Amino acid sequence: MTHVGPHPAVADVRRAVREALADVQKDALILTACSGGADSLALAAALAFVAPRLRLRAGLLTVDHQLQEGSRQRAETVAALGTDLGLTPAEVLTVTVGGEGGPEAAAREVRYAALSEAADRHGAEAVLLGHTLDDQAETVLLGLARGSGPRSLSGMAATTGRYRRPLLHLPRATTVAACRAQNLNLWDDPHNADPRYTRVRVRHKILPLLEQELGPGVIEALARTAALAREDADALDEWADSAYRHSVRGELGESVTLAVAELEKLPDAVRRRVLRRAAIAAGSPSGVLSATHVRALDRLVTHWHGQKAVNLPGGRSAVRRRGVLVIASGPTA
């Protein structure tokens, strides 16, 4: 019997995109980020197929990080492919990558900034990203190696603001098969094979070794861990939001005051979330506010013996006095 319909991998990717966009209003613009690799290319092709059937407009964004010779030409090739697929606009976003935080983090920061700017400029409802089940497993494994908490171990969310990741439940093998079935010309970024990058070593050495020694299914198990950790982290964050509202006694400019008696009632995990939120609300940058800083704040509540103020990133400090914890700009004593 002759097989009718798309290749199973193509059907899987299209179904994932269709389900991810089921709640979007008609005529909205959906953009997809595309590097030209298998994951994002399969996603772009699926969006081009699904969008007209959902009465949506669809476009493509590709980012030129200017980190390799010929990167501009490569980006223009990807944009041209987007046009061929019927995605409009199909735009190249050129960025300059700094060095702060390491090359991977720096590239990610400027990439998301460029995608957000373009989405605002075009009035896009959502931006699709091609992260897969394999990417989720790598993220969880990196979090475990760094000793991260449940929020980091929860990996990437299917939806984060305007960003949507339709392929998080599909393995990378599916996107490769979908591209081959549609004769899409893949591009393998040399950086994806460069062992200087931590994620590359996890992808090509650590995960295969775990699969070899522990048996198949490690990637799926790590992704399940992410889902479970996300449920717990979401519940704790919701509890912490309520606890913050009950604990706060004042928010004025770059100053937050919390009632120590209310903080003392909370479990450690919830109280530390409240303290982190308070520090950020007072102006301490979230990107450099570490667990060590939060634990130092916590000791002002749980191990109080008249100690001096705790210094925090961003020129903030915290001090306990007369039953309240004050986090503010500059000296608080």
Side-chain angles (χ1 to χ4, degrees):
M1 182 176 178
T2 304
H3 176 74
V4 178
H7 185 282
V10 175
D12 285 345
V13 178
R14 289 176 178 176
R15 185 182 308 111
V17 172
R18 185 168 59 250
E19 292 173 354
L21 298 177
D23 64 328
V24 178
Q25 297 296 315
K26 301 294 186 289
D27 201 42
L29 174 63
I30 308 299
L31 297 173
T32 187
C34 185
S35 67
D39 302 339
S40 60
L41 196 54
L43 180 61
L47 177 63
F49 179 86
V50 169
R53 290 158 177 81
L54 295 180
R55 293 173 56 192
L56 299 172
R57 295 175 293 129
L60 176 146
L61 302 172
T62 186
V63 180
D64 175 14
H65 296 87
Q66 302 186 91
L67 295 176
Q68 303 171 32
E69 186 177 350
S71 65
R72 180 68 189 186
Q73 182 180 358
R74 166 50 52 186
E76 289 175 349
T77 299
V78 173
L81 179 57
T83 300
D84 291 342
L85 289 170
L87 298 171
T88 305
E91 183 178 343
V92 176
L93 308 176
T94 303
V95 300
T96 300
V97 179
E100 187 174 353
E104 292 171 280
R108 182 171 57 250
E109 182 177 351
V110 296
R111 179 168 61 251
Y112 275 98
L115 292 173
S116 293
E117 185 278 329
D120 288 339
R121 176 161 38 86
H122 290 292
E125 178 71 18
V127 178
L128 305 187
L129 303 174
H131 297 116
T132 65
L133 189 76
D134 298 66
D135 295 306
Q136 187 76 298
E138 292 161 12
T139 299
V140 175
L141 197 56
L142 286 167
L144 286 169
R146 293 165 180 159
S148 302
R151 176 52 68 192
S152 179
L153 298 183
S154 65
M156 296 173 284
T159 301
T160 307
R162 61 156 50 100
Y163 294 103
R164 302 189 182 199
R165 299 177 175 89
L167 310 183
L168 270 185
H169 65 291
L170 294 178
R172 186 169 292 127
T174 297
T175 65
V176 173
C179 288
R180 288 175 177 166
Q182 298 171 95
N183 296 315
L184 296 174
N185 187 23
L186 300 178
W187 177 60
D188 289 324
D189 185 345
H191 283 171
N192 290 335
D194 189 337
R196 291 179 299 171
Y197 297 103
T198 305
R199 186 175 286 270
V200 171
R201 296 196 298 274
V202 168
R203 179 175 302 172
H204 294 293
K205 293 184 178 181
I206 307 304
L207 275 173
L209 179 62
L210 289 176
E211 292 270 350
Q212 175 186 321
E213 297 297 328
L214 301 179
V218 169
I219 288 175
E220 291 80 1
L222 287 168
R224 285 197 301 274
T225 296
L228 293 170
R230 180 166 297 280
E231 290 178 0
D232 290 349
D234 287 347
L236 287 169
D237 285 347
E238 186 176 345
W239 187 353
D241 287 343
S242 176
Y244 181 86
R245 291 192 296 270
H246 283 91
S247 301
V248 71
R249 292 296 178 265
E251 288 181 302
L252 181 62
E254 296 178 340
S255 175
V256 175
T257 302
L258 301 169
V260 171
E262 292 294 330
L263 295 173
E264 289 174 334
K265 300 175 185 177
L266 301 172
D268 292 352
V270 178
R271 184 178 59 252
R272 288 169 186 158
R273 279 171 164 78
V274 171
L275 292 170
R276 176 176 175 81
R277 174 173 170 172
I280 294 170
S284 192
S286 60
V288 289
L289 184 66
S290 69
T292 300
H293 295 123
V294 175
R295 287 184 181 276
L297 279 176
D298 198 35
R299 285 193 291 272
L300 293 177
V301 178
T302 61
H303 293 83
W304 172 245
H305 51 79
Q307 60 262 47
K308 295 181 179 180
V310 169
N311 293 321
L312 300 171
R316 273 56 180 175
S317 60
V319 68
R320 173 173 170 168
R321 60 190 179 205
R322 294 187 291 278
V324 296
L325 189 68
V326 181
I327 307 176
S329 175
T332 54

